[in-house]
Amino acid sequence: MACSKIFSGDLPELTNEIIQHFRKDFSTLYSCLLVNRFWCRLAIPLLWENPFFNPNRNYRYVEIYLSYLSESSKEKFNEHGIIINNLLPSNTLFNYPSFIKFLNISSIYFSIKEWVDILVDNNHEDLEKLVYRSLFEVFIENGGILHSFEIAMFSDIGNFNDTMELILQNPGFIYKIRNLKFQTCNISFQNIMNIIPILNFLNSNCNSITSLNFYFYFALSNINDFSLIENCLSQIIISQLNLKIISFSSCSVILYKPFLSLRNSNCPNTLNTIIFDNIDFKNIIITLQEVFDQLNVIESIHIVNCNSLNSEFVQQIIKVTKPFKLRTLFMKEILHIESLQFLLQKCGDYLENFEFGYTSEEYEESRRQLLKLVIKYCTKIKRLISPKPDDNNIYLLIKNIGKTINYLTINNYHDEYSSIVLQNLGQVLPSKLDYLRLSLSFNSSDLEIFLRNSQHTFIKKLLISNMMQNEGEGILFYIKEYIMRKERVKYLAFSEYYPNDDTDRELFSLEDEVNEFKLHNIIVQKCSDLYTSMYSFIYDFYI
């Protein structure tokens, strides 16, 4: 009875909550469109809230949006040989532009280029600028209100200043944003300065942002230029009433003032997550204790491939009076073992995501000592990446964290190391894993050993990539024997790389094989589709 009411729409709030769980599952959402009109009305907004997330697949959204232009605006396209009314019928069932919630400046720009390239052969810079501005006019005029706004610029985007001016003239489009991201790389000085007005607007008008992500990679010649950006970012932080998450990425030169502003705002009682991603701590080391001692509700600290993780850094962390809840540690440089021991003694019990970031022979002894410290102090790791699993301690670590680990990636294309992995790994895997990715170079006999030893482990997502050295080996036979017939995985991706002709051969491309696995309730996918980056867990708050 309850099930029929859900399908008929008699329990709208419950039905809506169910469909919300499919927000990122586009195939399921498309199926929901076919259930009935009620389900269709619930699914359509989710399909249209973030249309430019993948520009290579979604450039056709552009012409649908353009059909909402006024007749006078459509006439501007005539001189470019494009008749908007001939592209799509003007009658649509929904006000699609009003559903926009997530917008990335860069993604929409490249979607436009893709769409224009298909329609026009010659130089079309003016047409791109026209489409760019027209789409923002459509969003604004049809009542679109953004929840997530990403100013991502990796090259000089034409018409950027004009578009920012249009947004500032229509503040209702962005005044409710909850997620804000600035991402710049190798853009002109002028475009950097063009960001200033919108930064000032956000500081004065948007104080309900819950997540901030700053990624600034550029070289400015004048220290005053740094100060200008720093001051704007600091004021945005200070003006927020409910900031929960902040990320500093590749922005070491403008990090000092924004980081210090965390203590002089509402952040001490709202901020629960802070991410340091590819930054150099040298500019803020002396402020670490001061700032973290002011943060009262911090629950997650992520350190990803950062520099200056030295003894001075560790001493600052040790002095922090509150628990330092380090959830992620990706190491790209050697930290003195004694300092690392002090760090892990203080916060190793909180660590959930860990990656060994160095493989050079000169660091072999340090790696071994590091592993021993991780085994001793880090007992709750959920996600682990190891690029050189030649030390038996790595298998002891995996065994010790068997109750918590659910994500494991091992990358190594050396034959001898790959053989070691496959002969040892299967014996220490837990009974269940969400994700296992093996990128190795192996023969069929080593793979059989791994599959036989791990046959009591169920893996939700299994990716195996083989840098194959010898053709004609029966690797697929063993995958069928130990995985398919015993239904040990839910999703599977398998590829073989042949160096001689520089090609990848994926199981997904073999239609008959894919259908055979499907009969055993195993879905075969492309490696690129099944791949899950560790970053997706750290940045799961955004999009």
Side-chain angles (χ1 to χ4, degrees), residues 359-409:
T359 60
S360 175
E361 295 293 334
E362 63 181 296
Y363 298 135
E364 279 301 304
E365 182 57 33
S366 294
R367 283 188 72 252
R368 292 189 178 93
Q369 294 184 54
L370 167 62
L371 262 175
K372 292 178 181 178
L373 291 176
V374 173
I375 291 171
K376 182 176 181 180
Y377 296 109
C378 308
T379 59
K380 299 178 182 177
I381 293 176
K382 295 180 179 179
R383 304 171 191 96
L384 176 67
I385 297 178
S386 177
K388 193 176 181 182
D390 58 327
D391 190 326
N392 286 335
N393 281 320
I394 187 65
Y395 306 105
L396 179 58
L397 172 61
I398 294 171
K399 184 176 181 179
N400 284 355
I401 58 177
K403 292 182 179 180
T404 58
I405 190 170
N406 56 38
Y407 175 108
L408 176 61
T409 291

Side-chain angles (χ1 to χ4, degrees), residues 5 22 40 88 117 197 206 225 227 298 338 389 397 458 483:
K5 288 184 177 181
F22 302 134
C40 180
L88 284 172
D117 286 342
C206 304
D225 297 330
S227 298
I298 200 78
E338 185 176 355
L397 172 61
F458 180 81
I483 294 178

Side-chain angles (χ1 to χ4, degrees), residues 135-148:
L135 289 184
F136 279 90
E137 289 177 349
V138 166
F139 296 141
I140 291 169
E141 292 173 1
N142 285 273
I145 299 176
L146 294 184
H147 288 178
S148 294

Side-chain angles (χ1 to χ4, degrees), residues 403-420:
K403 292 182 179 180
T404 58
I405 190 170
N406 56 38
Y407 175 108
L408 176 61
T409 291
I410 296 180
N411 302 313
N412 202 296
Y413 286 119
H414 294 287
D415 293 2
E416 65 272 22
Y417 294 142
S418 297
S419 180
I420 292 172

